[in-house]
Amino acid sequence: MKILLHICCGICSSAAIQTLQEEGMEVVGYFYNPNIYPREEYERRLAVARQVAATFGIALVEGEYDSDSWDTAVTGLEGEPEGGRRCSVCFALRLRATSRKAQEMGIMQIATTLSISPHKDAELINALGKEIDPAAYKEYNFKKKDGFKKTIDFAKAHQLYRQHYCGCRFGLP
């Protein structure tokens, strides 16, 4: 069975891809992240996603870098704390895009790597995914079973760039 995996960043996808492949899934990666700022950071993360996809032998579909749509979606939420309503809107924007892309490609299942971060609420992400596409969305909490630690180890072993903030301009250190 094919699954379209929304990839928030390359290293986060490593453990998720491995899990899905171990479950017998044919994984297609989807890199759609209009939230990432600045553009140079987006390009760094995309390059790592390409490397990880090649390592695991999966196709990688690159979504449009449409930062204007993200800016519009989060207007009025600029003062929200990390993990607040702005993040929920951001997750939903990317999950909706993943659902649309899966439908375009005829892929019946979707998931996201977003749940692997120890800083992200997997229950919230999964609830949004189920609300957006109840038939296709597969719930995962990829941080379980040392998922996040595996991504760090993978990045070190493959000497991959590892970002130090969520990606949006409001999360810049």
Side-chain angles (χ1 to χ4, degrees), residues 4 97-110:
L4 186 65
T98 304
S99 175
R100 284 191 302 273
K101 182 55 75 175
Q103 289 170 14
E104 285 174 25
M105 297 177 71
I107 297 175
M108 306 302 291
Q109 293 189 320
I110 64 172

Side-chain angles (χ1 to χ4, degrees), residues 90-161:
C90 182
F91 300 154
L93 176 77
R94 294 186 282 166
L95 289 168
R96 275 196 285 296
T98 304
S99 175
R100 284 191 302 273
K101 182 55 75 175
Q103 289 170 14
E104 285 174 25
M105 297 177 71
I107 297 175
M108 306 302 291
Q109 293 189 320
I110 64 172
T112 182
T113 61
L114 287 165
S115 71
I116 203 156
S117 170
H119 307 291
K120 304 281 186 268
D121 182 344
E123 285 184 32
L124 169 65
I125 292 163
N126 285 321
L128 288 167
K130 282 306 230 185
E131 180 181 315
I132 289 164
D133 197 338
Y137 187 79
K138 248 181 107 77
E139 293 183 45
Y140 284 96
N141 184 345
F142 287 116
K143 70 175 101 344
K144 288 187 174 184
K145 298 182 184 173
D146 286 328
F148 186 71
K149 182 183 179 312
K150 289 176 186 174
T151 67
I152 302 305
D153 293 344
F154 183 88
K156 286 178 184 173
H158 294 277
Q159 298 178 338
L160 298 174
Y161 166 74

